[in-house]
Amino acid sequence: MRISDLFRRREIDQRVDEEFEFHLRMQIEENIRSGMNASDACVAARRKLGNRTQVTEEVYRMNTISFLEEVAQNVRFSVRTLRRNPGFAMTAVLVLALGLGSSTAMFSALDRILFRPLPYADEDRLVHFGMTFPSFSGRGAADSDLILIAGSYQGSWKPVPEPFTAVTTVMWGKGSSCDVTEQPSERLLCAQVESNFLKTFGVRPVLGRDFTPEDDVRGAPQVAIISHKVWTRRFGADPGAIGRTMDLDGASASVIGVLPAEFSMPTGEADILRPQQQYPLPPGQLGSMLTAFGRLKPGVTGEQARAAIAPIIEANAKELPRVGGNSPQPRVVRLRDHLIGDAPRVAWLLLGAVAGLLLIACVNVTNLIVARLAARNREFEVRAALGAGRARLARLALTESLMLAVVGGTLGLALAAGMLRMFVQMAPSSMREIERAALDLRVFAVAGALALVAGLAVGAWPAFSVWRVRELQHGSRATPAARPRMRFALVTAQIALTVVMLGGSALLLRTLWNQVAVPLGYQSEQVFTMRVEPNAARYPPSSRGSRHALFEQLLDRIRQIPGTVAATMSSDEFPSGRHSVASRIAVDRQPPRDLPPGMRLRGQEVTPGYFQTFRIPILKGRAFAESDRDGPPVAILSESAARLLFPGQDPIGHTVERGYNNTDLTRVTRWAEVVGVAGDVRNVGPTLDSDPEIYVPAENWGYLASYAVYAIRTQASSVDAAAFMKQAVADLDPLTPVTVEPLDAEVDRQTERPRFVAWLLAAFAGLALLLAAAGLYGVASYLVTQRTRDIGVRMALGASPADISRQVMGEAGRWIAAGAVLGCALAYVAIRAIEAQLYGVGSLDPLSWIAALGVLCGALFLAVWRPASRAARVDPMEALRAD
Amino acid sequence: MGKDKAELLQGTLDLLVLKTVETMGPLHGWAIAKRIEQVAQDLLELKYGTLYPALMRLEQNGWISSEWGTSENNRRARFYSITKQGRKQLALEAENWEQMVAFITRVLGSTR
């Protein structure tokens, strides 16, 4: 039976030979003793012993083939038994498929966040580093504010300082989009990288070559490495694409390489990589901001790296003009943390929930099998009596549950494919790794392993109890009394797990409710926004004329869209764009002063329709008028800005500093009079306090800004509004791509993560509850059937139907209570995992837990209702006659 | 020759072999066969082809162990002895057998 016996043929051969020989000799001797002559004795002995080869063969079969044969036999047998009980088999398979399918889909969705290495060589040594400014890094700040300055980059970071082995940069912000200016024209995402960029990340182009230092010199010929997608889309995946040219932003660049399909840019997305070509910088220029990445020497910690770069950052900072109140701080973040952020927390939570569901599914199926086992006890006893070994029977029982798991797992895969599609659609943008999830080999392997584990888990108890079968029992009560208790214990375990999941989802749903219910300070319905970024080559910045004209004309057109109630153009995305922030400001003709640490002031240039469009209330003073755009400078403060800058005073009539004069780009201090105070807008996120904001009228738009954001409040339908806005842009410049989005979508996005987590958890908890209720129903029905006779006797002795159903309910109630108590204890420990996700509700929130327990008890009592009422309808005469 | 001799009921050979090696101590295959035939008073014939695979199987299950030794007539032979596990199994199978007999007796009794 042992697999190793498969390889011991020779040894067996030899032993069989020797034994045969011995046996033969003994037989011959005996024959001679009984009077035969030598040759007769020999022949007779041989005849008696039979064919030696046959014996050897039998020993082989026993040793080897029988193992495989038994498996096949068990499988055949299981298929037959299961086919004879389609109800049981279907239920078990479906329950397992549900558990395995959800687990597989969840694993696949979260794999990239939790387990799969980033697609870079030795990713654990890659870091994102740079300097961060206190005014940037307040609440809601991202690591994308971690920068280096090109002006000091080459001098300080090349050659690479200790403890790095390589340092590389991508140009920050600028150049994130570029236009293909040949047909078919399209807007792509371009990243401008240093020539060692791909090398540092351990990525090689699949076709063509990498950048060389010669490519990355100011004035060098334009070259580009294109993404696999662009290669497929624009060049039909033709290897001849290398050496061809593409017109990018009006200049011809030759394609020198193609990125691997699985490549992903650490700064977001990129269709095209181009060299920065900014060095040598013209004298006196700071150059652009850079996003820097480094590869550390093995074994270097982030803290060590931070300490090492601190002096360099400090020296770099000295060369900068004073940008904020405080000096920049060095920071080093592991690339993985930078890219994935705090998503793993949520991911573990979801994985825990789905594991709970799988566990409940397994317990449920175990329960089904145990129930069936009770009925099959007899069969196993007879088998045992007829000589089937206990191990053999246990293996048979295990084969059956493994088969259920395999079929369930296969069905689960199909289910997982569907679920995964749903997850991907629901996935919050802060977990963008989910979008790339797919059912690949890795996921199949995990799904297989899960099915195997589930099969073993489900089969363990039955196999064990079969192992214990040894006596032939007889009499009318074939089932040992211990069985229902075992089944109830299993149901209790399911209930306990369900309590945890229900409680967790109740808390998360309250969190979601709290977040959605936060007054945002504006009204998002019927508002549509659109960001317009004209091609930089055709609309050059810093020149009077075309860009400015485009922006203004577009505003006029948008105002005229039918159904428009109000329209506005502003410098930044509503509500959370971070185009302009300051940690320093001057008021009332005083010298500038620093804001309290961690505070930042947002500046926003808007046209007069702004407050009307977003329905932001003007609390004091007035809104902007058309005449403010070219009159004396004025400003409107948000409520919190008024409190911050003029505490305890009426801000109207005071003045605040207005920075650059957009017309000639010189910094002249102009003093804007505060004419109004507007309500606060949740501009950091729905759950965080608002950043104070200063609004000024937009002047001479387009001299500095590369884009403008338009918004309209409309009475038209969303389809019409979007079409009209797009048409307005296309009328002026058909080549500028735009996307129109309802503001509601942006609002939804702010709560998409709590929504994702809450709905998923609630769905899992609902399924768990369903399974637990089904389990309880099964056990209770079984119990009632078992006790029909007892019930009959009790009724004959005068118990009323209500007494009987009360007794059944009472018994089930005890098990439910036990499960609930156990569940609460379990939850008390497990709920810590959820705490970080909560908002406006404590993890011990009584309402949530009472609601969870209420739903639980409601569903479970509903499940026992039918068995209980069936018990009450037992006819005593029939019940007593039945035996 | 063996027409009136009983065929072995499946599963009982194990019981017979185990019992034999338990009471007689280490024996070689030939002696085991002889002993069983002797006790059965020629009601049963134990063929080499039946016995030998059974010995292998019992040994693989860990119920008997074997080692090479020298037979009474100075031949090299393999001697089988019962293991601790084998004794347990023997007790179990003996019990099973008794129940089986009781069961069959009852079945025969009730259908008669």
Side-chain angles (χ1 to χ4, degrees):
Chain A
M1 228 72 68
R2 271 163 267 146
I3 304 229
S4 61
D5 288 340
L6 289 168
F7 310 104
R8 285 174 42 202
R9 210 179 160 115
R10 182 180 296 174
E11 203 181 308
I12 292 168
D13 261 343
Q14 202 181 348
R15 203 174 135 182
V16 170
D17 276 349
E18 284 198 54
E19 287 268 30
F20 186 84
E21 200 57 33
F22 172 70
H23 221 94
L24 188 67
R25 292 271 156 245
M26 295 301 276
Q27 187 66 51
I28 293 171
E29 275 174 32
E30 193 189 69
N31 289 353
I32 291 177
R33 263 203 307 279
S34 65
M36 292 190 195
N37 65 36
S39 67
D40 284 351
C42 213
V43 173
R46 278 190 195 283
R47 198 184 308 128
K48 181 161 185 206
L49 257 64
N51 186 347
R52 194 194 70 90
T53 325
Q54 216 173 334
V55 175
T56 320
E57 279 308 313
E58 190 173 340
V59 173
Y60 280 151
R61 198 158 49 236
M62 195 178 81
N63 275 295
T64 57
I65 315 221
S66 72
F67 169 74
L68 301 174
E69 217 168 49
E70 191 201 315
V71 170
Q73 207 180 351
N74 283 350
V75 168
R76 265 199 310 277
F77 181 76
S78 300
V79 168
R80 230 170 7 201
T81 343
L82 292 176
R83 212 186 276 159
R84 237 181 292 138
N85 290 276
F88 161 78
M90 283 266 283
T91 315
V93 162
L94 279 180
V95 169
L96 281 173
L98 199 67
L100 289 169
S102 336
S103 310
T104 305
M106 209 68 246
F107 170 81
S108 159
L110 303 178
D111 185 22
R112 274 172 210 276
I113 294 174
L114 293 176
F115 310 113
R116 205 179 288 230
L118 302 174
Y120 312 120
D122 292 326
E123 53 123 326
D124 51 323
R125 285 166 52 204
L126 290 170
V127 292
H128 172 41
F129 71 97
M131 54 176 110
T132 175
F133 295 89
S135 59
F136 279 5
S137 58
R139 300 148 305 134
D143 300 324
S144 57
D145 296 323
L146 215 49
I147 55 147
L148 292 181
I149 303 292
S152 48
Y153 176 69
Q154 293 242 307
S156 325
W157 299 93
K158 298 285 158 105
V160 180
E162 284 290 321
F164 292 91
T165 61
V167 163
T168 192
T169 60
V170 182
M171 216 181 270
W172 186 84
K174 187 192 160 208
S176 58
S177 69
C178 56
D179 292 310
V180 180
T181 42
E182 64 184 19
Q183 288 305 322
S185 71
E186 60 179 327
R187 174 155 295 181
L188 297 176
L189 293 166
C190 290
Q192 280 159 293
V193 302
E194 223 179 303
S195 60
N196 66 346
F197 178 79
L198 291 177
K199 232 171 277 139
T200 305
F201 281 84
V203 174
R204 243 183 245 174
V206 283
L207 204 64
R209 65 173 178 91
D210 198 352
F211 294 123
T212 61
E214 291 73 44
D215 292 324
D216 192 12
V217 175
R218 182 178 283 273
Q222 296 278 339
V223 289
I225 295 182
I226 60 176
S227 75
H228 204 271
K229 257 193 225 152
V230 169
W231 180 51
T232 316
R233 188 171 66 223
R234 291 196 73 95
F235 296 96
D238 174 15
I242 304 299
R244 303 241 301 264
T245 61
M246 273 176 96
D247 285 348
L248 291 175
D249 285 342
S252 169
S254 53
V255 174
I256 61 163
V258 175
L259 290 167
E262 68 279 3
F263 176 77
S264 101
M265 190 68 188
T267 50
E269 272 177 71
D271 298 309
I272 290 183
L273 301 187
R274 301 158 79 181
Q276 295 173 347
Q277 301 190 339
Q278 61 172 338
Y279 306 108
L281 288 171
Q285 273 199 22
L286 283 175
S288 59
M289 294 201 283
L290 303 170
T291 302
F293 300 93
R295 183 176 282 283
L296 295 175
K297 290 193 166 151
V300 177
T301 65
E303 192 41 49
Q304 286 168 337
R306 204 196 67 85
I309 67 168
I312 312 177
I313 296 278
E314 210 171 295
N316 283 180
K318 286 210 181 87
E319 297 166 31
L320 292 176
R322 204 170 142 76
V323 267
N326 314 324
S327 54
Q329 298 294 313
R331 265 190 79 195
V332 177
V333 205
R334 263 175 20 118
L335 185 64
R336 189 176 188 86
D337 296 338
H338 167 61
L339 292 182
I340 295 175
D342 65 341
R345 262 191 174 163
V346 173
W348 279 118
L349 182 72
L350 291 175
L351 218 54
V354 87
L357 182 65
L358 179 59
L359 197 59
I360 290 174
C362 285
V363 172
N364 210 306
V365 173
T366 307
N367 215 338
L368 285 174
I369 295 181
V370 169
R372 223 167 64 91
L373 221 53
R376 285 176 70 191
N377 222 10
R378 212 98 238 269
E379 174 197 330
F380 280 109
E381 281 164 5
V382 172
R383 279 174 191 283
L386 288 174
R390 296 185 303 164
R392 173 84 209 261
L393 284 179
R395 278 199 300 273
L396 181 62
L398 214 52
T399 307
E400 209 174 288
S401 41
L402 276 174
M403 291 234 343
L404 289 175
V406 166
V407 179
T410 314
L411 196 63
L413 270 180
L415 201 62
M419 282 184 172
L420 187 60
R421 205 165 307 145
M422 214 167 64
F423 292 166
V424 167
Q425 244 164 34
M426 285 168 62
S429 46
S430 61
M431 295 172 87
R432 70 185 169 99
E433 289 78 13
I434 292 182
E435 278 160 34
R436 285 187 290 141
L439 295 181
D440 53 17
L441 263 181
R442 190 180 152 95
V443 175
F444 283 136
V446 169
L450 277 179
L452 199 68
V453 169
L456 290 175
V458 158
W461 169 254
F464 177 68
S465 71
V466 164
W467 177 276
R468 287 194 322 188
V469 164
R470 56 154 132 166
E471 291 143 50
L472 261 177
Q473 287 171 341
H474 24 81
S476 57
R477 280 159 197 270
T479 1
R483 282 282 157 65
R485 204 171 303 149
M486 173 67 193
R487 295 194 59 195
F488 259 126
L490 290 174
V491 165
T492 306
Q494 284 187 61
I495 294 175
L497 282 168
T498 309
V499 168
V500 180
M501 292 174 67
L502 279 175
S505 44
L507 288 173
L508 284 171
L509 284 173
R510 279 209 70 189
T511 296
L512 177 62
W513 174 253
N514 288 343
Q515 297 198 358
V516 170
V518 165
L520 296 172
Y522 56 90
Q523 286 172 20
S524 59
E525 54 293 339
Q526 289 296 318
V527 175
F528 294 84
T529 62
M530 160 175 92
R531 177 187 156 121
V532 178
E533 184 175 357
N535 182 296
R538 286 184 298 122
Y539 297 92
S542 315
S543 71
R544 279 174 188 279
S546 61
R547 190 189 292 204
H548 169 71
L550 177 73
F551 284 149
E552 293 292 341
Q553 282 169 16
L554 192 52
L555 180 61
D556 275 344
R557 285 194 176 246
I558 281 172
R559 277 195 185 126
Q560 285 155 22
I561 289 176
T564 301
V565 178
T568 183
M569 170 173 82
S570 60
S571 58
D572 223 337
E573 269 102 351
F574 188 85
S576 304
R578 303 203 299 127
H579 178 71
S580 154
V581 286
S583 59
R584 212 173 140 75
I585 185 148
V587 297
D588 288 342
R589 297 170 199 278
Q590 309 278 313
R593 57 187 170 92
D594 290 337
L595 298 178
M599 271 298 206
R600 50 189 178 175
L601 198 56
R602 297 151 49 90
Q604 174 94 276
E605 292 187 46
V606 303
T607 59
Y610 189 80
F611 300 98
Q612 216 186 335
T613 306
F614 295 110
R615 296 237 167 106
I616 301 170
I618 299 293
L619 303 174
K620 250 183 216 165
R622 62 172 178 89
F624 292 132
E626 271 312 314
S627 57
D628 288 330
R629 291 194 72 186
D630 39 39
V634 290
I636 290 176
L637 302 184
S638 73
E639 205 182 349
S640 52
R643 249 196 330 268
L644 176 72
L645 300 179
F646 306 103
Q649 307 169 47
D650 183 356
I652 308 288
H654 285 271
T655 53
V656 293
E657 174 191 22
R658 166 140 205 205
Y660 291 97
N661 177 344
N662 281 349
T663 315
D664 53 12
L665 300 179
T666 52
R667 189 183 176 88
V668 289
T669 307
R670 293 181 301 151
W671 296 98
E673 188 191 338
V674 177
V675 295
V677 175
D680 271 335
V681 164
R682 290 278 166 162
N683 52 15
V684 186
T687 62
L688 296 169
D689 287 338
S690 308
D691 276 342
E693 237 170 318
I694 295 184
Y695 304 97
V696 296
E699 295 172 330
N700 296 319
W701 199 273
Y703 285 73
L704 260 184
S706 57
Y707 63 91
V709 179
Y710 295 85
I712 62 167
R713 175 171 291 279
T714 177
Q715 290 169 335
S717 73
S718 55
V719 181
D720 287 346
F724 276 128
M725 285 173 91
K726 281 184 188 155
Q727 188 55 48
V729 179
D731 284 349
L732 293 173
D733 179 13
L735 290 181
T736 300
V738 284
T739 39
V740 177
E741 209 185 38
L743 188 56
D744 278 336
E746 167 62 27
V747 171
D748 283 348
R749 220 174 358 254
Q750 294 176 353
T751 52
E752 65 189 350
R753 195 196 271 200
R755 188 170 309 141
F756 180 65
V757 181
W759 285 126
L760 273 187
L761 205 58
F764 291 154
L767 288 175
L769 183 63
L770 195 71
L771 292 183
L776 188 65
Y777 172 80
V779 182
S781 308
Y782 169 75
L783 206 73
V784 169
T785 314
Q786 280 284 295
R787 295 207 188 141
T788 307
R789 203 184 139 106
D790 295 355
I791 294 169
V793 171
R794 282 170 53 92
M795 286 182 111
L797 292 177
S800 72
D803 288 340
I804 299 296
S805 60
R806 207 173 304 130
Q807 190 209 350
V808 175
M809 295 288 258
E811 186 159 345
R814 276 205 297 284
W815 290 105
I816 296 175
V821 169
L822 193 65
C824 286
L826 197 61
Y828 191 75
V829 183
I831 216 67
R832 264 165 241 294
I834 224 174
E835 248 156 17
Q837 308 301 326
L838 300 182
Y839 170 71
V841 57
S843 62
L844 296 178
D845 175 52
L847 191 65
S848 304
W849 288 103
I850 289 170
L853 290 174
V855 168
L856 178 86
C857 293
L860 293 185
F861 275 109
L862 217 61
V864 247
W865 180 256
R866 248 173 63 105
S869 59
R870 194 155 58 85
R873 281 199 310 270
V874 165
D875 177 353
M877 290 314 289
E878 244 171 64
L880 291 175
R881 253 191 240 119
D883 248 359
Chain B
M1 180 174 163
K3 248 184 199 169
D4 50 349
K5 286 183 183 179
E7 283 290 307
L8 265 176
L9 184 60
Q10 195 190 348
T12 51
L13 178 59
D14 291 4
L15 181 60
L16 294 179
V17 171
L18 284 174
K19 185 70 194 169
T20 309
V21 287
E22 191 210 20
T23 42
M24 308 287 293
L27 286 179
H28 49 68
W30 171 259
I32 294 173
K34 280 291 127 192
R35 169 73 188 166
I36 292 175
E37 282 177 3
Q38 182 193 341
V39 171
Q41 295 179 337
D42 284 349
L43 281 174
L44 183 137
E45 188 188 1
L46 192 54
K47 285 197 175 124
Y48 170 79
T50 316
L51 174 69
Y52 199 73
L55 284 172
M56 279 295 255
R57 189 174 61 240
L58 290 177
E59 190 175 353
Q60 273 178 10
N61 286 342
W63 296 334
I64 58 174
S65 61
S66 68
E67 58 186 354
W68 290 114
T70 314
S71 71
E72 54 284 359
N73 52 3
N74 270 331
R75 285 190 201 281
R76 189 168 131 86
R78 218 166 160 84
F79 281 76
Y80 298 87
S81 46
I82 194 159
T83 63
K84 212 167 144 192
Q85 243 186 312
R87 282 178 209 281
K88 271 196 229 161
Q89 180 65 19
L90 175 59
L92 199 79
E93 294 214 1
E95 196 185 338
N96 276 348
W97 172 253
E98 271 153 32
Q99 278 172 353
M100 186 71 187
V101 170
F103 170 68
I104 290 174
T105 312
R106 210 174 3 255
V107 170
L108 293 177
S110 67
T111 48
R112 197 163 285 164

